[in-house]
Amino acid sequence: MRRSICFCHPNHAIAGQKGTWSFIYTSSGDLPKGTKIKFDLLSKERPFDWQIPQISSKDENTIWAKLPNGKSLIPTLKESDAFEFTLPSAIKTGENFSIFIGSPSLKPEKGNTCQTYVQRKRLFNLYIDPKGDGNYKDPEVFALDVKGNILKVLRIITPSVVARNKRFDVIVRFEDEFGNLSNNAPEGTLIDLSYDHLRENFNWKLFVPETGFINLPNLYFNEPGVYRIKLKNLSTQETFFSWPIKCFAECDLNLFWGLLHGENVRFDSTENLENCLKSFRDESVFQFYATSPFDSEEETSPDNWKSICHHITEFNEDDRFITFLGFQWVGDPKEEGLRQIIYSKDEKPILRKKDLKNNSLKKMYKSYQPKDLLSIPSFTMGDVSLLNFEDFNPEF
């Protein structure tokens, strides 16, 4: 059975790059006159998302299509990020229908701007309705890879606290101007690593790795003090420093960084918790994170909570990234306020305000031990979340 063909030109993009992008569709069957074709960029119009083109032949960031006979076709705006074409003539099996976004003049400094974050197989959807009544079914899919831009920043991830002569690891991230991992650097680029009180046998020169990051093991400091590791790009002579590292003569404490209540800029934790957790772990390099959906069933359905529990268990990894199961519980203003409830263990139920056994903090506290959960007052000066702290239970 013949299948439709979808391909992009070029087949990859550089984060933040301006250009003119073509999406070529070869139909597996005849498309009659009046066929409607909807092209969806799947962009949410955030500053870092793929730029939405304009519908104007005079604009340098526009969208148009070409028919097999070479004539151009201008779409109408169907949705905020989707455009609809209506075929003025039939397209036969095996003929190409090409969609372009960018500059009609093909000027390199003009055109449509790619998203500013790296993504493997960035998708664009194409919907075909041969009857022309707007009843679209499953889409055809275009895919291209978005790669990191030119190497701009060396980010050094270190512990905040270490003990003298105790070995620790450092992660170096090679990033573009948007914070993406990148190996887009001139061939032969070398990075010099150093810090104060350098040991005589310590002299490292680093290449830019294909992965965009590298782990440097077994570093240590001989004397107590405050240190910053320095990396120097020997090609550009730019110098980058880590955040301060406090070295104690003896230390049995650690300092960890993370969020107990917070959202990711790119990924909504309710819609896409997996990518949210990956971003906090791998890009923000957090060491812990807690979820914080609201307790109401409208906000967090039983299926959503089940999925949250699953991902929290899957991502929890000792000595790397600790995940906590949490949610927001809205109590009575002034007396209870808004609470962030965080469990100390996985696979626990969400406690809903509408349930009789969970409609007050006192009832909830009777069902749990202080070691089981944390109850953190949040936004205590808000209209709905106001709390006067008169009946505050310090054990929880």
Side-chain angles (χ1 to χ4, degrees):
M1 180 177 178
R2 185 182 178 92
R3 299 182 61 183
S4 300
I5 300 173
C6 298
F7 67 95
C8 309
H9 180 77
N11 60 9
H12 72 274
I14 304 299
Q17 173 186 2
K18 276 186 179 292
T20 298
W21 320 94
S22 59
F23 303 85
I24 302 163
Y25 172 72
T26 305
S27 176
S28 62
D30 293 341
L31 299 179
K33 177 181 176 179
T35 294
K36 289 187 180 297
I37 299 176
K38 185 174 73 169
F39 182 65
D40 190 349
L41 277 75
L42 301 176
S43 176
K44 296 184 179 179
E45 298 188 88
R46 298 170 296 186
F48 46 81
D49 284 327
W50 202 289
Q51 186 182 19
I52 304 297
Q54 305 298 311
I55 303 176
S56 170
S57 58
K58 297 180 180 179
D59 202 289
E60 292 291 356
N61 170 35
T62 188
I63 178 170
W64 74 100
K66 276 194 176 181
L67 300 169
N69 60 14
K71 292 184 178 181
S72 295
L73 186 62
I74 303 299
T76 57
L77 183 63
K78 183 67 175 177
E79 298 162 12
S80 62
D81 62 344
F83 300 84
E84 189 175 70
F85 301 86
T86 303
L87 294 184
S89 58
I91 294 179
K92 296 180 180 179
T93 302
E95 292 184 328
N96 291 339
F97 178 80
S98 303
I99 298 174
F100 300 85
I101 55 175
S103 169
S105 65
L106 300 179
K107 294 179 181 178
E109 71 277 7
K110 304 290 184 179
N112 178 265
T113 304
C114 169
Q115 65 193 39
T116 58
Y117 56 91
V118 169
Q119 186 176 359
R120 173 77 171 139
K121 289 189 176 181
R122 203 290 186 188
L123 302 182
F124 301 81
N125 285 344
L126 187 74
Y127 297 86
I128 308 293
D129 171 27
K131 295 182 179 180
D133 57 8
N135 183 23
Y136 295 107
K137 296 183 179 180
D138 293 339
E140 306 282 354
V141 177
F142 296 96
L144 59 77
D145 293 339
V146 181
K147 302 181 179 181
N149 211 313
I150 297 172
L151 177 64
K152 188 72 175 177
V153 176
L154 303 176
R155 187 150 69 100
I156 311 158
I157 313 300
T158 68
S160 297
V161 172
V162 297
R164 180 178 59 183
N165 293 327
K166 184 176 181 180
R167 297 180 184 273
F168 60 91
D169 295 349
V170 166
I171 296 174
V172 178
R173 287 176 56 92
F174 299 77
E175 299 180 346
D176 61 16
E177 61 179 306
F178 307 110
N180 301 303
L181 291 178
S182 175
N183 66 344
N184 191 347
E187 186 177 352
T189 297
L190 282 177
I191 309 299
D192 181 73
L193 184 148
S194 63
Y195 57 83
D196 293 338
H197 311 299
L198 191 65
R199 305 191 303 276
E200 292 183 0
N201 63 342
F202 188 90
N203 184 15
W204 282 2
K205 296 289 189 295
L206 309 177
F207 288 99
V208 180
E210 186 176 353
T211 58
F213 72 94
I214 189 172
N215 183 66
L216 305 178
N218 297 326
L219 274 67
Y220 64 90
F221 300 127
N222 293 314
E223 299 295 335
V226 177
Y227 296 84
R228 290 202 303 167
I229 293 177
K230 180 174 74 173
L231 293 179
K232 184 176 182 180
N233 187 328
L234 299 181
S235 297
T236 64
Q237 300 302 309
E238 291 179 287
T239 301
F240 302 88
F241 292 90
S242 70
W243 293 109
I245 308 168
K246 175 66 175 178
C247 177
F248 293 91
E250 294 182 5
C251 182
D252 57 358
L253 299 176
N254 290 291
L255 179 59
F256 300 110
W257 299 89
L259 277 178
L260 293 179
H261 186 157
E263 284 290 341
N264 188 280
V265 175
R266 278 182 51 203
F267 302 108
D268 185 282
S269 61
T270 302
E271 297 176 359
N272 198 337
L273 181 57
E274 181 177 1
N275 283 337
C276 173
L277 292 171
K278 285 181 180 178
S279 180
F280 279 131
R281 182 192 65 189
D282 301 334
E283 297 174 14
S284 301
V285 200
F286 283 175
Q287 287 139 341
F288 64 87
Y289 178 74
T291 55
S292 55
F294 281 94
D295 71 279
S296 68
E297 197 160 345
E298 294 77 16
E299 293 270 356
T300 311
S301 68
D303 286 342
N304 284 342
W305 183 250
K306 183 177 179 181
S307 175
I308 290 170
C309 290
H310 169 74
H311 283 104
I312 288 298
T313 302
E314 286 293 307
F315 274 82
N316 191 73
E317 185 177 351
D318 290 348
D319 298 323
R320 184 186 182 193
F321 187 56
I322 303 302
T323 50
F324 294 98
L325 189 61
F327 61 92
Q328 295 183 72
W329 183 89
V330 184
D332 297 330
K334 293 187 179 181
E335 295 180 6
E336 296 172 320
L338 172 65
R339 300 295 177 122
Q340 166 83 348
I341 306 295
I342 300 177
Y343 286 117
S344 60
K345 294 182 180 180
D346 297 340
E347 301 293 341
K348 295 294 183 178
I350 186 169
L351 309 179
R352 303 190 190 275
K353 171 71 173 178
K354 69 174 186 177
D355 295 339
L356 185 62
K357 62 180 180 179
N358 300 317
N359 63 3
S360 73
L361 283 176
K362 290 183 179 179
K363 289 182 180 179
M364 288 165 52
Y365 291 165
K366 287 182 179 179
S367 302
Y368 291 90
Q369 297 296 321
K371 66 179 180 179
D372 295 330
L373 57 83
L374 291 174
S375 174
I376 306 173
S378 304
F379 307 108
T380 55
M381 294 179 67
D383 292 337
V384 177
S385 53
L386 181 66
L387 182 65
N388 58 23
F389 287 92
E390 289 181 3
D391 188 20
F392 181 76
N393 187 332
E395 291 184 347
F396 287 92

